[in-house]
Amino acid sequence: MKKRCVVAFAGHMIDKPSRPSPRFPPQAEFAVQSAICDEIKRLSPTVAVSSAANGGDIIFAEEVLKQKIPLYIVLPFKDKRSFIRQSVAYAGKQWVIRFRKVCTQASGLYFVKPGSYEDERDFEDNQHAVIFFALGFAAANNMRIIPLILYDDSQQEDGQGGSISFLKLLTGLNIEFHAINMAAIRAGLHPEVNVRDKGRK
């Protein structure tokens, strides 16, 4: 019998219009949704944990909720309007509506700190908090943790706190993770999901 698990997620946001090379273009949303949905079904988590930026986070949250899995959302600061400005609204009004919906439907909504955005370290702290929340929940409930990352390892993050911050902490802690290859999705290939060895990038 498969041990119950907590899936902790991080994924790229939708590309900003100013991004010089595509990473998560808006037209890739359906393929990303399909890949995330398939992976959630395969992993069959008991509980899920993520943040709620546009793109990967919100898509993951929506798919988890569709499958009636308890979802815990961790945001970097308590001022949700500030988070929306920084990490949601630039992709369009529909993403703001989706953000509010997943926050309302989540089993729990937590904040790393009071107040609002100060600098990019807030987002790195948030990625770390998602992992440590999942680790603590798993330990307290005799579960295992399975991190899942949607990312393109051929491109650098735009700033601190993206999927790569999530990945760096996992490798530092020697935790195995699953990765959905954003480059393969962009290329129109079947979404490639890999289990990455501990300590490898």
Side-chain angles (χ1 to χ4, degrees), residues 46 55 59 63 78 89 92 104 106 122 131 138 149 154 175 182 196:
T46 310
I59 293 170
E63 293 305 308
K78 194 168 185 178
T104 299
D122 290 341
I131 294 170
I149 312 175
S154 70
I175 298 174
M182 192 67 232
R196 306 296 292 268

Side-chain angles (χ1 to χ4, degrees), residues 98-183:
R98 292 164 72 176
F99 164 82
R100 290 181 173 142
K101 187 174 180 180
V102 297
C103 287
T104 299
Q105 294 181 344
S107 296
L109 181 61
Y110 299 95
F111 308 98
V112 178
K113 69 171 194 176
S116 60
Y117 174 76
E118 292 182 9
D119 58 46
E120 288 186 345
R121 287 173 297 182
D122 290 341
F123 297 111
E124 185 164 48
D125 290 344
N126 191 56
Q127 295 286 30
H128 293 179
V130 168
I131 294 170
F132 285 118
F133 183 102
L135 284 168
F137 195 101
N141 293 279
N142 192 29
M143 299 179 186
R144 62 186 178 128
I145 179 175
I146 304 179
L148 174 63
I149 312 175
L150 168 75
Y151 81 118
D152 182 347
D153 60 4
S154 70
Q155 297 194 32
Q156 292 186 338
E157 288 285 0
D158 295 330
Q160 285 181 285
S163 301
I164 302 304
S165 293
F166 190 86
L167 171 60
K168 285 180 179 177
L169 180 58
L170 292 175
T171 55
L173 295 172
N174 233 22
I175 298 174
E176 185 178 84
F177 61 91
H178 291 228
I180 299 172
N181 187 333
M182 192 67 232

Side-chain angles (χ1 to χ4, degrees), residues 38-96:
D38 288 347
E39 191 66 0
I40 292 168
K41 287 178 179 177
R42 190 175 72 81
L43 296 173
S44 190
T46 310
V47 170
V49 186
S50 72
S51 190
N54 70 46
D57 287 351
I58 288 177
I59 293 170
F60 174 80
E62 290 171 338
E63 293 305 308
V64 162
L65 290 166
K66 283 179 191 175
Q67 296 182 38
K68 310 297 184 186
I69 297 163
L71 170 69
Y72 294 92
I73 290 175
V74 183
L75 298 179
F77 31 79
K78 194 168 185 178
D79 184 352
K80 286 194 282 187
R81 288 177 298 179
S82 181
F83 182 80
I84 288 169
R85 283 195 301 272
Q86 294 293 326
S87 301
V88 183
Y90 75 80
K93 291 181 180 178
Q94 189 61 29
W95 286 100
V96 177

